[in-house]
Amino acid sequence: TISLPWSPDRIMKTFYLGTGVVLVAASVFFAEVRVGRLIDSPPKIWKIVSGMWPPDFSRFASLSGDLMESFWMAYAATFVGVAISLIPGMLGARNLAPTRAIYNLARYFVVLVRGVPHLIWALLFVSAVGLGPFAGTMALLIGTVGITAKFFMDSAEEIDEEPRDAVTATGASGGQVTAAAVVPRGRRRGDRGK
């Protein structure tokens, strides 16, 4: 048999592989993963699924208020979230950020907001303001800010520079340049994507 020499690279690869195997084994042990529990689960799953079909509309009248509350939560979170996301969306665009530090700060903010799952935001707001529609609306709002701010950043970075330079040459302020050259061009790019 041929044995390979133990080079520093091979030692590190073996170390990483061994560490990975130990971490997977530890996570399976501490998460209490048991194959027997999985084998016993089909009857329980069938009980839940069979309770969902056929749907029972007798309670629809009592649930319609909650349904409308959910709709208004989503509507408010989307509307306010899109408006708020314009700020990090514009500041996180390389061609619009006033300084590199503000650009990085806006990018890190959007990455943080998008990286934390919506359920974690919901739990955070429930613990902060209590259970109810306000906590849910805030969690949805944060999710909307993350998604739309990323869209605004990408749209603003892909606009042509010529219209922006032309408006800047007239002596327009930064806000006027954004309103006259950036937003209309970004809207056209979004319309083309449909």
Side-chain angles (χ1 to χ4, degrees), residues 31-76:
E32 299 179 8
V33 175
R34 304 291 181 263
V35 177
R37 290 169 64 187
L38 189 62
I39 292 171
D40 295 339
S41 65
K44 296 173 186 174
I45 293 171
W46 176 248
K47 182 179 178 183
I48 293 170
V49 171
S50 64
M52 292 183 206
W53 193 261
D56 180 14
F57 292 106
S58 63
R59 296 182 52 209
F60 184 76
S62 64
L63 297 176
S64 60
D66 295 333
L67 184 65
M68 286 309 296
E69 182 179 73
S70 297
F71 171 77
W72 290 118
M73 287 169 52
Y75 185 79

Side-chain angles (χ1 to χ4, degrees), residues 139-151:
L140 291 171
L141 187 143
I142 293 292
T144 300
V145 167
I147 292 168
T148 55
K150 175 69 170 144
F151 171 76

